Amino acid sequence: MFSPIQFVFIAAIVLYLLDSIWEVGSIFNPNRFSKRLADYFIIAGLSIHCAFLIIVSAQSGTLPISTLFESSTFYLSLIVLLSVILKFLYRLQSLTPFVMPIVTGFSIAAVTLVKNDLALTANLKTFWLFAHIIPIFLGYASFTVSFIFSIMYLTMERQLKKKSFGPLFDSLPSLETLDALMWKTITLGFPLLTIGLVSGTVWAKTTNILGLLWYLDPKVLLGSLTWLIYAAILHLRLGASFHGTRVAIVTIVGFVIVIFTFIGPFLMGHKHGYDTGSVILEQEIIAPEAPGMIKVES
Amino acid sequence: MNLHTLGLNHDSAPVEVREKLAFSPSSVPIALSSFAQSFPSSETVILSTCNRVEIYATSLDDSLSKDTLLDFFSAFHGLPKEEFADHMYHHQGINAVRHLFFVASSLNSGVLGETQIISQVKEAYQTATTAETTGSILNQLFQRSLTVAKDVHTKTAIGKGNISVSTVAVDLAIKIFKDFSEKTMFIIGAGEMCELVLKHLVERGAKTAIVANRNFDKAKSLAEEYEGKAINYEKLDEYLPQADIIISSTASPRHVVNVEHIKNAIKARRGNPMLLIDIAFPRDIDPEISKIDNVYLYDINDLNKVANSNAEERKKDIDKCVTIIDKEVAQYMAWVEELKIGPAISQLRNHFHEIGEQELERLRPKLGDIANDEWEHIVHSMQRTLNKILHKPAKVGKEKAKNGGGFQYVETIKHLFGIQHKKEDSRK
């Protein structure tokens, strides 16, 4: 059922699952679930996850995005990485209890639901692949984390307004902190998304990998919609009385679009450069790369 | 065990009596050394706070009792015993140990879970070590009491959540704002409670305050105290948009801050959140205000509710604390017994060998002329017999000491062979 390499990822999921239990448990019963043990779980899980991605990359000779399964795990690893960085940078005890259950859920979905027969058909070793995929994925990961901050914000907001203070209330940081972090992750994700979209556009135009009507590719359209939503958030927050709660809600909407952009076209049967069948056979035919063109276009 | 504690606290005695028996920080060392003079082979610690006065004492002999301790208080403070004896409690042995652990863990305090008592116990102990009135028994007891207190506070929720209105208000402020250094406090009215909340916020780093009061002079004096700015009461609207945290407690029968005020203010602030704390009764701030986005309003009822529920939460953990304490008490008692079991066993051994030697002495003349070798055999045989008999009780004694119950064991053995009796005889 699973290929041997997938078991490496499953090992990471087991650690993520344990981490989720410990992270959430430490909020409600700090004596029983130690935060230190949770830290070990997340670090071990992330290490195995990275090892998995490195093996996959080494095998295919390119970024771990040749299949939807691979790109999902790549995206999830960036979320965990970003959360761990933020956790230790800002001494945020309460971020990972929100992130890890979601990541664990997505990871399990990636292993069990994602069919492995779609593979990337484009030339996998061009500069444009890196210029397009890395910023886009980093941007998605930042938006995901900012989505989690907005959930934390709304949780906190609700408790403060309703005056009912549960165990979460004690462990969450202040509204102001959450607002700032939400803002920081959006402003980190937005330029990355912009770079990714621009390089994708250039790539599509120069190599024709998406055909002549590349701009009608659903993934391209949804990506642009995502860009517009986050641009609107930036604009509103900088310009008008648009704070806290409203930013949080729009951020959640933005994230839903991100997820839909990520997997939606696949579910609907659109490929965005992926197709069933052999990668090697098709890549030369569909995407003959003119080396000189990159320089001209960039 | 020969450990006594005699004392009184906020429950057992009215403040007038407590005052009379209290030791000032400077008189504690004097009291300790005078106690040491009266009872030379003793160890003492005196704990004197505004809520309690307690003496902990242990002695190698039997010179200490409730009466001798009462006499000490009476003599030191120059008060007849009858004036205070009824208000005092006395604990001995394991109960005295348990009492100190309860006190240090704040289970005996007026405010459950308060942490001040830990430092007070620490100080009392340090004063006694400086005065050189502690020995191994009290050193171990007090060091352990501090560990227990720390354990109780970290492993239970006994000290969690604030239980006074003013600190609860600050707790809420912390959950809205990251830090207070850039924030503006706005005080309406100049009540005592307002000042208390302001004081806590200043302790947390708040720097800017605006004070509005009907009586401008009063506003000015409060503002000056906190390097703030006093404004005319009529200019309230004008200054509200600057306010991040508003604390209101006026005697006004009508709302002082209404929905329009805050709607305008929040617009001017471009949605930056505001926290309003209404400590007045009847209320100063229109409760409808809480419906405005990014505005958080709490009145005195809300604060009281949080304070009370925190207090309830603390009470829920008392059982947990008692379990921790009882375990530690048992461990301490085991330590004391281990301390005792060594001498007790050598006493037992000496006792048996003394009897053996007496019997040998009696036997020697009766045997007449025997070879030295033969006599040696008899002596060895006697010693081996005694050692074999003693082996088991000594082994069990050491085990008992480790697992608790050694104290009773030692007492039983002493009783069984009349050892205690003999020891006292020899001292006399």
Side-chain angles (χ1 to χ4, degrees):
Chain A
M1 192 171 107
F2 296 117
S3 63
I5 182 73
Q6 273 180 316
F7 282 106
V8 179
F9 185 59
I10 290 169
I13 295 182
V14 171
L15 284 161
Y16 284 166
L17 186 66
L18 284 170
D19 179 61
S20 306
I21 295 168
W22 252 258
E23 301 273 7
V24 175
S26 70
I27 291 179
F28 297 96
N29 191 350
N31 294 329
R32 186 139 172 218
F33 298 97
S34 93
K35 289 203 172 92
R36 178 173 288 244
L37 196 55
D39 286 349
Y40 291 144
F41 282 141
I42 197 168
I43 298 295
L46 183 60
S47 310
I48 294 180
H49 194 158
C50 289
F52 163 79
L53 292 170
I54 290 167
I55 297 170
V56 166
S57 306
Q59 280 178 352
S60 66
T62 184
L63 286 176
I65 52 144
S66 328
T67 63
L68 179 58
F69 169 71
E70 283 178 22
S71 33
S72 308
T73 57
F74 182 44
Y75 159 68
L76 290 168
S77 76
L78 291 176
I79 298 174
V80 179
L81 185 68
L82 190 59
S83 311
V84 169
I85 291 171
L86 286 172
K87 178 186 170 130
F88 291 109
L89 207 61
Y90 291 93
R91 296 213 183 94
L92 266 181
Q93 288 298 342
S94 46
L95 174 60
T96 37
F98 280 83
V99 172
M100 289 320 286
I102 295 176
V103 167
T104 311
F106 279 7
S107 303
I108 293 170
V111 168
T112 53
L113 300 180
V114 175
K115 287 198 191 94
N116 228 352
D117 59 345
L118 283 179
L120 199 59
T121 53
N123 186 339
L124 294 168
K125 287 173 189 169
T126 91
F127 160 77
W128 290 109
L129 179 84
F130 291 87
H132 172 55
I133 295 293
I134 292 180
I136 288 251
F137 272 56
L138 281 171
Y140 281 180
S142 319
F143 289 147
T144 310
V145 175
S146 87
F147 155 76
I148 286 160
F149 282 131
S150 44
I151 297 226
M152 287 162 78
Y153 186 96
L154 291 177
T155 312
M156 198 65 183
E157 214 274 338
R158 222 182 137 73
Q159 297 207 13
L160 280 162
K161 276 274 190 201
K162 296 237 162 191
K163 297 165 188 174
S164 64
F165 311 113
L168 264 178
F169 185 78
D170 295 329
S171 44
L172 282 172
S174 67
L175 286 181
E176 202 178 25
T177 311
L178 289 170
D179 190 52
L181 287 167
M182 203 154 69
W183 183 239
K184 241 173 219 165
T185 39
I186 292 176
T187 47
L188 173 71
F190 188 73
L192 288 167
L193 180 69
T194 313
I195 295 170
L197 287 180
V198 168
S199 60
T201 307
V202 175
W203 191 21
K205 278 202 89 166
T206 52
T207 61
N208 255 346
I209 42 170
L210 298 179
L212 284 173
L213 299 176
W214 58 272
Y215 45 85
L216 290 182
D217 181 280
K219 207 149 180 154
V220 174
L221 291 176
L222 284 166
S224 316
L225 180 61
T226 313
W227 189 88
L228 281 175
I229 288 197
Y230 284 99
I233 296 175
L234 291 182
H235 177 74
L236 285 171
R237 165 133 177 182
L238 287 173
S241 69
F242 195 72
H243 260 85
T245 326
R246 287 189 218 172
V247 177
I249 290 168
V250 183
T251 308
I252 290 173
V253 174
F255 174 71
V256 172
I257 308 277
V258 165
I259 287 298
F260 194 66
T261 310
F262 195 68
I263 54 169
F266 285 107
L267 300 180
M268 285 154 49
H270 292 279
K271 309 295 194 287
H272 190 71
Y274 288 79
D275 211 338
T276 45
S278 165
V279 177
I280 302 137
L281 262 179
E282 290 180 30
Q283 77 181 37
E284 294 301 321
I285 306 160
I286 295 176
E289 194 183 349
M293 276 183 85
I294 297 165
K295 274 179 197 157
V296 175
E297 290 288 329
S298 60
Chain B
M1 189 178 52
N2 203 2
L3 173 73
H4 294 261
T5 178
L6 182 78
L8 37 66
N9 64 17
H10 52 93
D11 273 341
S12 75
V15 65
E16 299 81 37
V17 181
R18 295 204 310 267
E19 272 168 1
K20 280 182 198 158
L21 290 186
F23 297 88
S24 67
S26 56
S27 71
V28 172
I30 303 167
L32 287 170
S33 59
S34 95
F35 189 89
Q37 270 169 13
S38 321
F39 305 97
S41 63
S42 68
E43 298 177 30
T44 343
V45 174
I46 290 174
L47 174 64
S48 182
T49 74
C50 47
N51 279 323
R52 65 183 66 249
V53 183
E54 287 174 347
I55 185 164
Y56 292 85
T58 182
S59 163
L60 293 176
D61 50 38
D62 285 340
S63 56
L64 293 177
S65 68
K66 185 180 181 183
D67 280 327
T68 53
L69 290 171
L70 277 172
D71 287 338
F72 170 74
F73 269 100
S74 161
F76 191 84
H77 291 290
L79 285 171
K81 266 202 268 187
E82 301 75 50
E83 273 191 32
F84 60 85
D86 289 346
H87 295 294
M88 297 202 105
Y89 44 81
H90 171 247
H91 302 291
Q92 199 178 344
I94 186 169
N95 289 330
V97 176
R98 203 161 182 261
H99 179 75
L100 175 64
F101 287 7
F102 265 69
V103 168
S105 312
S106 84
L107 292 189
N108 210 284
S109 299
V111 178
L112 199 63
E114 55 121 355
T115 48
Q116 217 185 351
I117 186 69
I118 302 178
S119 44
Q120 286 164 340
V121 169
K122 201 174 181 178
E123 221 177 284
Y125 169 57
Q126 275 164 354
T127 310
T129 39
T130 315
E132 293 177 351
T133 61
T134 59
S136 58
I137 297 274
L138 287 192
N139 279 339
Q140 191 69 219
L141 178 70
F142 274 81
Q143 279 161 16
R144 281 182 190 234
S145 78
L146 295 171
T147 321
V148 174
K150 214 175 128 197
D151 250 27
V152 161
H153 274 274
T154 49
K155 287 185 185 158
T156 72
I158 196 81
K160 298 269 154 61
N162 278 309
I163 52 175
S164 76
V165 166
S166 55
T167 44
V168 165
V170 177
D171 277 353
L172 290 168
I174 289 170
K175 286 300 178 185
I176 294 172
F177 301 107
K178 191 161 60 178
D179 71 309
F180 303 129
S181 56
E182 307 275 300
K183 302 288 178 284
T184 303
M185 320 290 126
F186 196 116
I187 313 293
I188 307 171
E192 203 178 311
M193 195 60 117
C194 266
E195 216 183 314
L196 205 56
V197 177
L198 182 62
K199 199 182 131 212
H200 288 311
L201 287 169
V202 168
E203 277 166 12
R204 294 271 185 167
K207 287 194 184 108
T208 322
I210 300 172
V211 186
N213 195 350
R214 283 208 188 280
N215 178 341
F216 187 72
D217 289 338
K218 223 173 173 182
K220 222 174 156 187
S221 78
L222 181 63
E224 268 165 14
E225 207 173 312
Y226 291 96
E227 291 170 30
K229 181 177 176 185
I231 60 156
N232 261 320
Y233 200 69
E234 287 68 35
K235 287 190 178 165
L236 204 73
D237 296 24
E238 213 175 293
Y239 283 93
L240 270 180
Q242 294 180 26
D244 296 291
I245 300 173
I246 300 169
I247 308 155
S248 185
S249 104
T250 72
S252 160
R254 257 165 291 129
H255 292 152
V256 177
V257 181
N258 56 42
V259 177
E260 277 312 303
H261 280 139
I262 298 302
K263 263 191 179 157
N264 292 335
I266 208 90
K267 213 175 219 170
R269 292 167 59 77
R270 293 176 48 194
N272 269 315
M274 287 174 101
L275 166 65
L276 295 97
I277 294 163
D278 186 352
I279 324 180
F281 193 83
R283 286 182 285 189
D284 280 348
I285 303 175
D286 188 346
E288 288 294 306
I289 280 175
S290 66
K291 286 183 185 152
I292 304 171
D293 251 4
N294 297 324
V295 173
Y296 305 91
L297 167 66
Y298 302 96
D299 62 28
I300 187 82
N301 272 340
D302 300 325
L303 300 179
N304 269 329
K305 231 184 254 168
V306 176
N308 289 340
S309 89
N310 284 347
E312 284 303 310
E313 282 301 309
R314 286 184 175 196
K315 273 188 202 153
K316 273 189 199 159
D317 263 23
I318 288 182
D319 286 346
K320 241 189 196 168
C321 300
V322 174
T323 315
I324 294 175
I325 289 174
D326 281 344
K327 210 175 130 199
E328 293 293 325
V329 169
Q331 271 179 16
Y332 176 74
M333 293 311 284
W335 175 81
V336 171
E337 281 155 21
E338 228 177 78
L339 204 65
K340 272 195 201 160
I341 208 102
I345 284 167
S346 52
Q347 257 181 47
L348 185 69
R349 183 163 282 141
N350 290 342
H351 177 73
F352 271 56
H353 282 282
E354 263 173 44
I355 293 171
E357 270 163 33
Q358 278 169 16
E359 286 306 310
L360 285 175
E361 267 170 40
R362 220 189 271 176
L363 182 68
R364 187 72 183 87
K366 286 181 193 162
L367 289 177
D369 237 6
I370 57 161
N372 214 22
D373 270 9
E374 284 168 35
W375 176 243
E376 289 280 293
H377 276 304
I378 295 170
V379 172
H380 272 148
S381 154
M382 173 71 93
Q383 276 170 354
R384 264 204 310 278
T385 314
L386 288 174
N387 282 339
K388 271 187 180 166
I389 293 171
L390 282 163
H391 177 72
K392 191 79 182 168
K395 201 179 151 203
V396 173
K398 273 174 195 157
E399 274 166 17
K400 287 262 182 194
K402 262 179 208 153
N403 310 323
F407 177 67
Q408 278 166 334
Y409 182 75
V410 168
E411 289 302 306
T412 312
I413 286 197
K414 282 183 175 175
H415 188 70
L416 208 58
F417 298 105
I419 293 171
Q420 185 78 42
H421 186 65
K422 201 178 165 192
K423 195 184 156 201
E424 270 168 24
D425 282 349
S426 66
R427 199 186 290 145
K428 277 171 194 168

